[in-house]
Amino acid sequence: MQFIYSIGTYFAGFILKIVALFNTKIKLGVDGRKRTFKILEQQLEPTDKTIWFHCASLGEYEQGLPVFEKLREHFNKHKIVLSFFSPSGFEIRKNTTIADIVVYLPLDTKTNAKRFINLLHPELTVFVKYDIWPNYLNLLKKKNAHTILISAIFRPKQIYFKFYGNLFRKALFTFNHIFVQYESSKKLLESIGYNDVTISGDTRYDRVSNQLNKNNTLDFIERFKSNKLSVVIGSSWPEDELLFTNFINNKHYPEVKYIIAPHNIKTSQINNFISKTNTKSILFSEMENKPLEEYNVFIIDTIGYLSKIYSYADIAYVGGAMGTTGLHNTLEPAVFGIPILIGSNHKKFPEAQALINNGGMFSIKNQSQFNKALIKLLKNSDYRKKLGSKNLEFVKKNSGAVIQILDYLRI
């Protein structure tokens, strides 16, 4: 199995280089990995004390952030190295203050793992959710480096629980401790003999709860909203935006303000929405010296504001589940005590089903269901507040994962 894995890893590297010739995102990762060792050699000394955080992509980074923040605070004399595998994580968070050094993780060959670990020599390594790399983890184990996995989710169909998954199964045993989100994951680990496991829940609840302690004021949103009902559409895709185009064009509640933060800030997608929506729309990039209160739709064609914008919402719609791209973060709006609408393709997102079961979020399949649900929320303030309070209480109830992880690390 080790031989097959090694051959597969080298082959994957070769294929990525070819694909990079035609794909900008893949090229970012390929080129970024070439620079990793040079960056580490320039910025690390053999005498440095280090902590290593690894995330597959942006979602895992956001999930691990509340833990990273506490570790950064505690290990203030260590150098923190943060690695990503995906460009969608690295390119957005390459300047984060949570780490001293941010790099792409080189492919998991034995040579790369040896060079990477020897340069880092981490005292503590934190992997988030998944992205299990056998060569890196085996070497950490040999060097007695303390390694934990947080916010993990395991399912029976994963390779760890298959007869042919011995290499990856052994990789799990290199972790000193694994913190899982659900009891079902704990039972799966115990079924293969791994018992150093704690059900801590999802650190994202702690992450979004921290948002309540921050200053969420945005003057431009206040001017746009001008004390009227507002609906925030977060991380939308064209199929999500079509629902609102039809709703707005049918003159449903024309006084309502809509704030849209597209997942992909593509000019063609934004222009298509504006051209088909019969109302006054304005872009964030064009708002300077404009009377924002006179517009009905505000399109946020930049990143970094959505978590604060949700604090101004009376109702939130979270994109991704009307199509097949994957539901985006529903906990971000939930913490502000507002009702939420999503599409119907959310089976891979257990927190979404939990919010639905709790009564504060609705899943819709089509335009008719969308119109009915949104109209009911818009016309009844008591109903909105009741559903929203359920979401806030749910987030509060499920927070606390970070405390358990820090207790284990005796911090």
Side-chain angles (χ1 to χ4, degrees), residues 361-374:
M361 187 164 77
F362 294 107
S363 169
I364 52 97
K365 295 181 179 180
N366 51 45
Q367 187 75 51
S368 176
Q369 289 185 1
F370 173 80
N371 292 352
K372 183 178 179 180
L374 187 53

Side-chain angles (χ1 to χ4, degrees), residues 163-183:
F163 71 90
Y164 51 81
N166 188 54
L167 177 67
F168 287 89
R169 192 158 47 246
K170 285 184 177 180
L172 291 180
F173 281 80
T174 65
F175 287 106
N176 294 89
H177 205 86
I178 297 178
F179 294 88
V180 297
Q181 295 187 32
Y182 306 107
E183 184 178 359

Side-chain angles (χ1 to χ4, degrees), residues 285-341:
S285 59
E286 299 175 350
M287 70 173 180
E288 190 172 355
N289 299 322
K290 298 288 180 64
L292 292 177
E293 66 277 3
E294 295 181 7
Y295 293 86
N296 300 107
V297 174
F298 195 177
I299 301 173
I300 312 300
D301 56 342
T302 187
I303 61 173
Y305 289 106
L306 183 56
S307 58
K308 291 188 176 184
I309 290 173
Y310 277 131
S311 70
Y312 290 90
D314 295 288
I315 301 165
Y317 177 97
V318 178
M322 276 304 292
T324 58
T325 51
L327 178 66
H328 294 281
N329 194 337
T330 53
L331 299 180
E332 282 190 335
V335 76
F336 289 109
I338 52 177
I340 304 168
L341 298 176

Side-chain angles (χ1 to χ4, degrees), residues 243-252 275-279:
L243 296 171
F244 285 91
T245 294
N246 294 333
F247 188 85
I248 293 169
N249 289 349
N250 283 327
K251 308 299 180 183
H252 294 296
S275 67
K276 293 182 178 180
T277 308
N278 300 327
T279 192

Side-chain angles (χ1 to χ4, degrees), residues 384-395:
R384 286 196 306 274
K385 291 176 182 178
K386 179 180 178 181
L387 268 58
S389 65
K390 290 183 177 182
N391 285 336
L392 174 57
E393 290 303 316
F394 182 81
V395 172

Side-chain angles (χ1 to χ4, degrees), residues 258-293:
Y258 299 93
I259 305 168
I260 302 179
H263 177 71
N264 289 323
I265 308 170
K266 293 182 177 180
T267 301
S268 58
Q269 180 179 328
I270 292 172
N271 288 341
N272 181 60
F273 174 79
I274 292 175
S275 67
K276 293 182 178 180
T277 308
N278 300 327
T279 192
K280 292 187 68 176
S281 303
I282 188 167
L283 303 179
F284 174 89
S285 59
E286 299 175 350
M287 70 173 180
E288 190 172 355
N289 299 322
K290 298 288 180 64
L292 292 177
E293 66 277 3

